[in-house]
Amino acid sequence: MTRVFVFTNHKGGVGKSTSATNTALGIAGMLRRAGAPNARVLLIDTDSQAHATLVTTGTKDYGVDNSLYTVLMADRQNAAQTLLNCIVQSTWDADLHILPASPMLEGAERELMGIAGAPYRLADPLSRIINRYAAVVIDTRPSFSLMTEMGLIAATDAIVPVEPRYLETVGLMSVIGKINDIREGWRQPNLRVSGILVTKMNTRIRGHNHLLDELKTHSVLGKLLLGVVPANEAVSYAHQNHQSVFNYDPKAPASKAYAQFVGKLVQRIAKCGA
Ligand SMILES: Nc1ncnc2c1ncn2[C@@H]1O[C@H](COP(=O)(O)OP(=O)(O)OP(=O)(O)O)[C@@H](O)[C@H]1O
Ligand SMILES: [Mg+2]
């Protein structure tokens, strides 16, 4: 079974797209270095802002004919082939493939609202082509909208990026509760909350250390902590250059932290026999 990692949090700007893009690239690179026969990773951008699409392909000029929007609007029988037709190779790496977002996704939510089976319009075609990939990574928008629901329904592992200032237990528990609701409500027994990734950590800020300590000792959340990425200007510079942080500066603290995090996900992929 191919693992599908969805990065989700309804809070904006917490590092979902940064984490999804760098993780997708990191998985492909790590699998290749380990000699895996298939190191291909598919990154699906479900956010109409298309930030993940822009940094990994150099453009966000995708629309009615060549994006996730096209897949969502396709006839059921043609949706898997449409999905394959819309996938592009990332400028970052030949093994990283992108299903681009489009500003039209904003309208797609309204167009699909109330249509039977709408929430499965990503999961269904994806399940028919997924064997081509060693892993899939999904970036979501900062809300629990229909698009985010589609991403969660298509996923096996939900990862919640969170800034240390948003670490309050209540907020995090509500995100986790929402993911569990989707598992129960849409009968997706494979979907589980796989981990929390703390982003933009600054150890010089006392509040950050305090919140991280609280998270580590929390009875439920502590077990879910999968990584801590430091606040690091290399991330912003990499974004501006449409580069991954690994490529921009492999020795940057954020690169090292993402590499560690990716290592944990690759272990899970290996357990699935990919
Ligand atoms: N570790 C980091 N250090 C410094 N800046 C970071 C780090 N991670 C992310 N950023 C910056 O924070 C901003 C938000 O990051 P990102 O776009 O990944 O968040 P997001 O959760 O996807 O946002 P949105 O909710 O709008 O989709 C970006 O400008 C990014 O460059
Ligand atoms: Mg984003």
Side-chain angles (χ1 to χ4, degrees):
M1 185 181 70
T2 305
R3 300 295 276 260
V4 182
F5 301 102
V6 62
F7 286 80
T8 192
N9 190 334
H10 59 288
K11 293 254 194 222
V14 295
K16 292 180 289 295
S17 302
T18 303
S19 302
T21 51
N22 285 291
T23 300
L25 176 70
I27 293 174
M30 204 169 275
L31 288 174
R32 201 165 48 227
R33 286 192 296 280
N38 175 11
R40 277 194 302 275
V41 175
L42 175 63
L43 173 68
I44 300 176
D45 188 355
T46 68
D47 184 357
S48 55
Q49 297 179 94
H51 287 158
T53 301
L54 176 63
V55 293
T56 55
T57 71
T59 171
K60 52 179 183 174
D61 195 13
Y62 298 93
V64 68
D65 293 326
N66 56 0
S67 69
L68 173 58
Y69 176 83
T70 323
V71 178
L72 300 183
M73 294 300 153
D75 286 342
R76 233 178 135 218
Q77 302 90 304
N78 302 331
Q81 187 56 49
T82 304
L83 195 161
L84 287 176
N85 295 345
C86 292
I87 288 171
V88 293
Q89 194 178 301
S90 169
T91 51
W92 287 4
D93 190 300
D95 280 324
L96 179 58
H97 294 183
I98 314 294
L99 177 58
S102 154
M104 299 186 78
L105 288 173
E106 194 75 43
E109 298 211 318
R110 281 190 299 277
E111 288 177 62
L112 291 172
M113 200 64 84
I115 290 185
Y120 292 93
R121 286 199 172 214
L122 174 57
D124 276 347
L126 179 63
S127 69
R128 282 150 62 195
I129 63 108
I130 201 163
N131 285 342
R132 295 169 182 241
Y133 290 97
V136 178
V137 174
I138 302 178
D139 187 24
T140 61
R141 57 186 300 183
S143 71
F144 278 123
S145 59
L146 175 61
M147 276 316 312
T148 301
E149 209 158 71
M150 285 191 208
L152 286 165
I153 290 172
T156 57
D157 296 75
I159 293 169
V160 184
V162 62
E163 279 185 64
R165 62 203 173 98
Y166 290 134
L167 273 177
E168 340 88 57
T169 313
V170 180
L172 264 176
M173 290 303 275
S174 88
V175 180
I176 289 169
K178 182 75 194 171
I179 294 165
N180 288 336
D181 283 353
I182 286 184
R183 181 180 57 207
E184 313 294 316
W186 296 103
R187 283 179 234 99
Q188 296 294 316
N190 289 334
L191 174 65
R192 62 185 186 127
V193 180
S194 202
I196 295 168
L197 178 65
V198 175
T199 60
K200 305 190 195 178
M201 174 74 194
N202 187 343
T203 50
R204 280 172 302 192
I205 298 177
R206 203 165 351 128
H208 281 198
N209 293 317
H210 176 70
L211 285 164
L212 184 59
D213 284 344
E214 271 192 358
L215 176 69
K216 283 180 176 167
T217 52
H218 189 276
S219 59
V220 177
L221 303 175
K223 295 191 191 82
L224 291 173
L225 183 62
L226 266 189
V228 180
V229 181
N232 185 187
E233 60 185 8
V235 172
S236 316
Y237 292 133
H239 266 156
Q240 280 164 26
N241 293 315
H242 297 175
Q243 281 182 314
S244 71
V245 70
F246 298 119
N247 203 33
Y248 178 78
D249 181 1
K251 295 204 169 72
S255 299
K256 291 182 181 167
Y258 274 119
Q260 262 189 23
F261 170 69
V262 165
K264 290 186 184 171
L265 300 192
V266 167
Q267 277 176 10
R268 292 177 184 198
I269 293 168
K271 275 191 202 145
C272 288

